[in-house]
Amino acid sequence: MLECALCNLTPQDKKWMLYENNDWIVFLADKQDYIGRCMVVCQEHCQSISDLNIEQWISLKVIMSSLEQMLKSELGATMFNWSCLMNDAYKADCACPHVHFHMRPRYAEPVIIKNREYRDDEFAHHYDNKKPAQITDEAADFLFAQLKEKISLYFS
Ligand SMILES: [Zn+2]
């Protein structure tokens, strides 16, 4: 799709790509409101999750399991909030939704990045959609490098 941003990702957009296979791309999200927040984007221009085929679902299940395992082991995440919203796509005159998921790790205990402690103050409640980024760009670069280095332990 020519007009779809997620079909036309630039090298800059892919700066924080952690993993990809034929069906999905995993990114560390630009906005680290919840530490380790990721985005999982369908490789194909699929407009609704009900349009995903069985192979895409199976592949997604493997990615979800790998990603959750990695963030539990590497950051101590307790559980995860997965959402597929796509509301922004409908702000345009000509809606062009492209299936993607937001994954927010949630923490019962503080998470430590570069010797600094971050708390999930909303833990056990709905995530705060207006929460600002919690870590500096430098700490986010560090987090990305840390996860990228370990990715092969969790994703085959
Ligand atoms: Zn698309």
Side-chain angles (χ1 to χ4, degrees):
M1 292 287 278
L2 227 64
E3 65 275 29
C4 172
L6 293 178
C7 284
N8 296 281
L9 293 169
T10 64
Q12 179 62 19
D13 295 329
K14 290 187 167 186
K15 178 175 80 139
W16 280 357
M17 187 177 82
L18 286 167
Y19 174 80
E20 72 176 324
N21 64 16
N22 288 336
D23 300 303
W24 301 96
I25 317 176
V26 181
F27 297 98
L28 187 67
D30 288 343
K31 186 182 171 190
Q32 288 293 300
D33 46 1
Y34 291 88
I35 311 298
R37 177 177 171 175
C38 287
M39 205 166 129
V40 178
V41 179
C42 191
Q43 292 274 22
E44 192 182 313
H45 185 80
C46 188
Q47 305 215 28
S48 165
I49 56 173
S50 58
D51 292 335
L52 294 172
N53 64 41
I54 291 301
E55 288 72 29
Q56 288 166 321
W57 275 115
I58 292 170
S59 178
L60 180 64
K61 184 263 178 285
V62 174
I63 284 184
M64 286 174 143
S65 299
S66 304
L67 200 51
E68 290 195 356
Q69 192 53 53
M70 180 170 79
L71 294 169
K72 277 183 181 174
S73 300
E74 301 298 326
L75 299 179
T78 307
M79 50 81 75
F80 303 87
N81 291 162
W82 286 92
S83 52
C84 178
L85 303 168
M86 301 198 290
N87 297 316
D88 285 346
Y90 291 86
K91 290 188 173 88
D93 290 338
C94 178
C96 188
H98 179 135
V99 169
H100 64 281
F101 294 84
H102 297 271
M103 187 267 240
R104 292 171 175 85
R106 305 299 306 273
Y107 300 89
E109 301 296 328
V111 53
I112 296 165
I113 309 287
K114 288 195 89 176
N115 300 321
R116 241 200 90 183
E117 208 175 84
Y118 301 90
R119 292 181 177 280
D120 180 350
D121 291 329
E122 301 80 36
F123 183 71
H125 296 273
H126 199 287
Y127 59 80
D128 175 1
N129 202 36
K130 300 219 166 9
K131 188 169 180 165
Q134 299 296 295
I135 59 178
T136 62
D137 289 351
E138 189 200 0
D141 283 339
F142 177 86
L143 174 63
F144 175 73
Q146 181 191 348
L147 295 176
K148 188 78 185 169
E149 190 189 319
K150 298 289 177 66
I151 199 94
S152 62
L153 297 177
Y154 302 95
F155 288 76
S156 48

